[in-house]
Amino acid sequence: MTATGDPALDADALDAAFAETMRRTGASIGALYLLAPDGRLLCLDVLSGVPVEFASPWTRVPLASPAPVADAVREDRLVWIGSQEEMVRCYPRTAMALPYPLALVAAPVTGARRWGSLLLMWPATRPPYMTQRERGNINSSCRRLARLLEEAAERGGVRRARPRAISAGTGRRAAPEPAVADFVDRLPGGSCALDLEGRVTYVSSGACELLGREAGQLLGTLPWQSVRWLDDPACEDSYRAAVISREPVSFSACRPPNHWLDIHLYPDASGISARIVPAGAPGPPSPAPRRTTPTAVPARAGRLYQLTHLAAGLTEVVGVQDVVDLVADQIMPAFGAQGLVLSTAEAGRLRITGHRGYPAETIRRLDGLPLDTTFTPAGQALGSGIPAFFANPEEMRRTYPEAPVVSGKKAWAFLPLIISSRPVGVCILSYDSPHEFPAEERAVLTSLAGLIAQAFDRARLYDIKHDLAHGLQQALLPRGLPTLDGLRVAARYLPATRGMEIGGDFYDLIRLGDSADAAAAVIGDVQGHNVAAAALMGQVRTAVHAHATLGTPPDQVLDRTNRLLTDLAPDLFTSCLYAHLDFARERVSLASAGHPPPLLRIADGDTRAVGVPPGPLLGVDPDAVFPLVEIPLTRGMLLALYTDGLVETPGTDLEDAITRLAQHLADADDRDLDGLIDTLLSKAETTAQRIDDIALLVLQCE
């Protein structure tokens, strides 16, 4: 947006509408996320009920991330989470970042276009469901916010560059009067008050004595900064838990050398009241629920949750491209970076495996640099195993004068990826403007580099194994299908998406004789997904091909292949369907060894499964019989042969699935057989995570 209107008026109107929404819904915490101009990020614009610092690791949320605010926009729906248990079940990564009892809703802010997402949170004391009236209020509020944003856009209103914290007007900010202060001082132990930013606004003399600080040293400060022995993530996390959950929280802390104190926190919409008593002393009449947090490294609790959140994401990646996408979509925004280069160490050189935010020419210049390069710090960081941070071009230029010129960036973090002293690669985050790297951020990035290294190394091994498996699979399948006059043909093989083993599905089309008056179509499925299954698949396909080229009838082809397999005793079984197409006699002969029936569509569109009585699976019974069935071969008829991966899903009746596939085939456009296969695959009832391979062979007589 350009500043042609009055941005202050636009911002005030938006803030007022946002605050009114919080008051009407009774939400304790609220946030408004707006889509970035590129449509790939949600940026925090307005926040209420908690300090902005709490949300700093999540001020930018990738639209593709598995988070409530992202799902609300991406799927254009209201996302309701009624409990922490539901959060763990539906959004495990978000649950690790917000491990507090709460309820939340994320709703899309949509008008003439998508604007972003509204996030509202309540303490867990509210009912774990949402009424239709509440849903209506929230949807109405989102429409109002969208109208205000559209009006601001028309006037050229400016979005805020940074998130703004506002008050929803539900808190109290009265300073204690002398009589109240005297009353508090007469109570045993100590008392103090903190605002929602965590700063001390009042402290009693008893609290000063127990904490070992004067009032002037405490007022206006964050306790974990002014009282060094409270600088523990457990203490800060207890405060965060109280602010977010709006429920009482207790924890213990040790004042050196060995004076233990129990601290009880009581939150409301305006801040927190704290009672401090010596450990073991009588506490408040209604003891506050105790919350404990494991001791961790001295880093802000928010950063620790952020690290846990990103670590969970890295455990889900599979291939190298997945690692690149996760680093680019989640880690880059989390740390405000605009550029990424992910390189791997290969044969003494740095090969770039993924990048974002760099022109192609720059990547070409940086790709393949030797590990001992003095062109950039990447090789030095990888060789030493020590991360390198450059806050501005001047710092970089002193040692690497060409690097700032080539990249055009203004700040860099070079993170070596090391596993058990073995260099794996380098992750480089870069910035378009100078960027300071505080000690805390350096610590988190360094820890994150180890997690990226683990994920990157696993992903490389996965890709290598997957490429090997895919290459072997493709070598065992026909390179191409023969061209036959009067016959159109198309085929497709899809590996299982779960795991990366080699599949046993195969198909083939065989020209029979020199006159092209006959052909054989075959499809099969070897049990298992491993090297043994692939090897057996190759043997079966070779045996079928050899017997078919001799002009053997379909039942005899299966019989002879079956005897071969029983002699080999492979401990794996194979289903197979064999079809002999006789163009001279205009007949199709079919035989099946435990394979799903083919589908036949005739010229008038009538489609059905062909009733081929299935014989036993190949390799089970050496004396098995495979019944032979004949059907007419007519102009325009279409025959579809497939493996069970196309129709078989847990909990689904196989015959019903085949019937539905036949209906999809009846409705499909046959002008392009490859397009027809795409249609059948898109309508298949197998889920996106296929647990079995799919082979599909489609033939049509012209």
Side-chain angles (χ1 to χ4, degrees), residues 32 53 205 215 247 267 285 330 337 380 388 390 398 439 460 478 486 490 587 633 639 653:
L32 178 63
E53 184 271 336
S205 58
E247 290 189 345
Q330 298 193 39
Q380 175 70 21
F390 300 88
R398 283 195 288 268
R460 288 175 61 200
R587 305 295 290 176
L633 192 157
L639 198 63
D653 183 81

Side-chain angles (χ1 to χ4, degrees), residues 81-106:
I81 302 296
S83 65
Q84 184 68 10
E85 292 75 15
E86 188 176 356
M87 179 77 81
V88 171
R89 185 173 64 253
C90 299
Y91 296 97
R93 280 201 250 164
T94 303
M96 285 189 288
L98 290 172
Y100 313 113
L102 52 82
L104 68 79
V105 67

Side-chain angles (χ1 to χ4, degrees), residues 218-280:
L218 294 171
L219 289 172
T221 70
L222 299 173
W224 44 88
Q225 292 180 355
S226 56
V227 182
R228 295 296 301 273
W229 47 271
L230 287 177
D231 188 14
D232 186 316
C235 301
E236 183 186 353
D237 183 43
S238 296
Y239 164 73
R240 293 167 62 91
V243 171
I244 293 176
S245 69
R246 294 292 199 266
E247 290 189 345
V249 173
S250 293
F251 66 97
S252 297
C254 180
R255 174 186 168 184
N258 57 359
H259 301 290
W260 284 89
L261 301 176
D262 289 338
I263 302 175
H264 306 269
L265 306 178
Y266 296 89
D268 70 1
S270 63
I272 291 181
S273 296
R275 287 287 293 144
I276 308 170
V277 295

Side-chain angles (χ1 to χ4, degrees), residues 594-638:
H595 200 82
L599 299 180
L600 172 67
R601 189 177 88 175
I602 58 178
D604 65 2
D606 182 39
T607 306
R608 60 182 173 84
V610 180
V612 183
L617 295 170
L618 300 177
V620 176
D621 179 7
D623 299 319
V625 176
F626 304 95
L628 191 63
V629 171
E630 282 196 355
I631 60 173
L633 192 157
T634 59
R635 182 180 297 275
M637 68 171 284
L638 187 147

